[in-house]
Amino acid sequence: MAHPAEDVRPPTMADVAREAGVSHQTVSRVLSGHPNVRAATREQVTRAIEHLGYRRNSAARALVTRRTRTLGVIAVNTALYGPASTLTGLQEAAREQGYLVSTVSLRTGEGQGLKGAVDHLASWGVEGVVAITPQRSHVQALAELDAPFPVVTVEGGHRLDLPGVSLDQELGARMVTEHLLAAGHRTVWHVAGPEDWLESEARTTGWRAVLEENGIKPPRVLTGDWSPLSGYRAGQELAGLALARRGAAPVTAVFVANDQMALGVLRALREAGIRTPGQVAVAGFDDIPEAEYFPPPLTTVRQDFAAIGRRSIGLLVDHIEGRARRAEHLLVEPQLIMRASTRPSDEP
């Protein structure tokens, strides 16, 4: 015989106290991590929590502690690999530190969009915000806002009075350019990302600096929009120059500012009958999951998005708790991943 559904309420802290045979205050101390609780008592309370399936009431906790344990994330251009991977790294790092995350994704990061995002997150009681702002205009708009909480930027805050974390983009570009010169190439061509992107600017700066330090006049920069199509069009132009074999800057090595554009460059070279790396070596940036399966597998620069997430959340929490300087900027070191697309022809 079926029984009518019982009105089952969720377990409370009082239920946990009765189950464990301790006071309500002791349960509260265990939940808050108070040091003055005996190990045996802590274990007893923990077992009761697990047995009852108790979950803390975050709203009630916020009323008592004045802490919501919620962080905001403003993410721009999350359709692209870098911002999307950064967002994942931030969310995982926040959870590891016991914070909830409220995310606002924007297609563009202009002033009104950012202001609306900040206002929305403020209404949800976030304690601070990490903003993935890869374009110069985004960072400038963010710096002009009077946010009611600490704000940390990812990939952009070092140019303005905002704390931030970023990959050392310039170092990554230097590493890949030095790698190509060491392989014997007289120069390295560059397909850059969009001009307004700070990452693109830093990668171009690193590439140019290495060439100039080696007494090489940098070839003119070709520009794409991060897409494979824009890389393909740049690759067609490079293929034409390589086949013509004219001028003082032979096309035998190309550093492309991201892996997706590098995919387009590789196709354009292949269609023109140019072998990679036999005739033209190609390197990218990002180390997207597909990079090692490109034809040929792509030499690239790996970004540690997990480390960027951890350091960004850590820096934000330091600001929330008053332990950090306002304009501190942290750099995460990249890693050069060498694969077949830049292997000298005399290597196996």
Side-chain angles (χ1 to χ4, degrees), residues 248-261:
V251 179
T252 64
V254 184
F255 163 42
V256 190
N258 80 332
D259 293 348
Q260 290 174 321
M261 289 195 299

Side-chain angles (χ1 to χ4, degrees), residues 180-201:
L180 289 166
L181 291 180
H185 298 282
R186 290 168 51 193
T187 191
V188 178
W189 287 71
H190 183 44
V191 180
E195 293 182 358
D196 188 42
W197 283 67
L198 295 166
E199 294 160 297
S200 176
E201 178 184 306

Side-chain angles (χ1 to χ4, degrees), residues 2-198:
H3 295 280
E6 296 181 4
D7 183 15
V8 180
R9 62 174 177 81
T12 66
M13 196 180 295
D15 296 327
V16 173
R18 281 193 296 271
E19 175 81 9
V22 299
S23 68
H24 184 284
Q25 184 179 26
T26 298
V27 175
S28 178
R29 286 178 174 175
V30 170
L31 290 170
S32 63
H34 197 284
N36 295 334
V37 179
R38 290 186 304 165
T41 302
R42 189 181 303 277
E43 183 179 351
Q44 195 172 335
V45 172
T46 301
R47 284 201 304 267
I49 289 171
E50 293 174 352
H51 178 255
L52 294 174
Y54 171 73
R55 296 291 182 270
R56 300 194 72 176
N57 186 322
S58 58
R61 181 172 181 265
L63 289 173
V64 175
T65 64
R66 300 184 183 275
R67 297 286 303 274
T68 63
R69 302 292 294 182
T70 301
L71 304 178
V73 175
I74 299 173
V76 184
N77 294 303
T78 53
L80 295 173
Y81 176 76
S85 299
T86 301
L87 176 58
T88 299
L90 290 169
Q91 292 171 331
E92 291 176 351
R95 286 195 296 270
E96 288 173 2
Q97 295 207 31
Y99 283 87
L100 298 174
V101 176
S102 180
T103 302
V104 177
S105 296
L106 302 175
R107 289 189 176 181
T108 64
E110 302 305 325
Q112 289 304 310
L114 281 171
K115 184 180 185 305
V118 168
D119 291 345
H120 172 78
L121 292 170
S123 71
W124 281 93
V126 302
E127 297 183 30
V129 163
V130 176
I132 305 172
T133 50
Q135 291 175 256
R136 183 185 307 281
S137 56
H138 300 166
V139 184
Q140 291 172 338
L142 191 64
E144 293 169 2
L145 296 178
D146 185 20
F149 34 59
V151 176
V152 166
T153 66
V154 177
E155 303 298 348
H158 58 291
R159 294 299 181 92
L160 295 168
D161 189 26
L162 288 171
V165 175
S166 66
L167 185 85
D168 194 334
Q169 307 284 347
E170 187 171 334
L171 174 60
R174 292 182 67 94
M175 293 166 69
V176 72
T177 306
E178 289 168 352
H179 164 68
L180 289 166
L181 291 180
H185 298 282
R186 290 168 51 193
T187 191
V188 178
W189 287 71
H190 183 44
V191 180
E195 293 182 358
D196 188 42
W197 283 67
L198 295 166

Side-chain angles (χ1 to χ4, degrees), residues 143-348:
E144 293 169 2
L145 296 178
D146 185 20
F149 34 59
V151 176
V152 166
T153 66
V154 177
E155 303 298 348
H158 58 291
R159 294 299 181 92
L160 295 168
D161 189 26
L162 288 171
V165 175
S166 66
L167 185 85
D168 194 334
Q169 307 284 347
E170 187 171 334
L171 174 60
R174 292 182 67 94
M175 293 166 69
V176 72
T177 306
E178 289 168 352
H179 164 68
L180 289 166
L181 291 180
H185 298 282
R186 290 168 51 193
T187 191
V188 178
W189 287 71
H190 183 44
V191 180
E195 293 182 358
D196 188 42
W197 283 67
L198 295 166
E199 294 160 297
S200 176
E201 178 184 306
R203 294 170 194 179
T204 300
T205 297
W207 160 80
R208 179 177 287 112
V210 169
L211 294 184
E212 291 176 345
E213 289 165 7
N214 284 272
I216 302 169
K217 181 181 178 181
R220 65 181 174 86
V221 176
L222 285 71
T223 303
D225 61 9
W226 301 128
S227 71
L229 176 59
S230 67
Y232 177 73
R233 288 170 175 163
Q236 288 179 312
E237 185 172 353
L238 289 167
L241 293 169
L243 293 172
R245 297 183 180 179
R246 293 195 301 267
V251 179
T252 64
V254 184
F255 163 42
V256 190
N258 80 332
D259 293 348
Q260 290 174 321
M261 289 195 299
L263 177 61
V265 169
L266 288 169
R267 175 175 172 177
L269 295 176
R270 187 168 59 252
E271 288 182 353
I274 296 173
R275 300 187 311 278
T276 301
Q279 292 171 275
V280 177
V282 177
F285 204 109
D286 282 340
D287 194 28
I288 64 176
E290 299 84 0
E292 66 178 310
Y293 301 102
F294 282 9
L298 185 68
T299 290
T300 185
V301 177
R302 178 175 295 166
Q303 304 195 58
D304 189 343
F305 294 107
I308 292 170
R310 287 193 302 270
R311 300 193 75 176
S312 299
I313 295 298
L315 182 58
L316 180 59
V317 172
D318 284 347
H319 277 272
I320 290 170
E321 299 181 356
R323 297 193 299 263
R325 299 187 300 275
R326 174 170 169 72
E328 183 177 8
H329 187 258
L330 306 177
L331 289 175
V332 175
E333 189 167 328
Q335 180 184 4
L336 178 64
I337 306 298
M338 291 179 284
R339 298 192 179 104
S341 68
T342 61
R343 182 179 297 140
S345 58
D346 59 344
E347 290 189 15

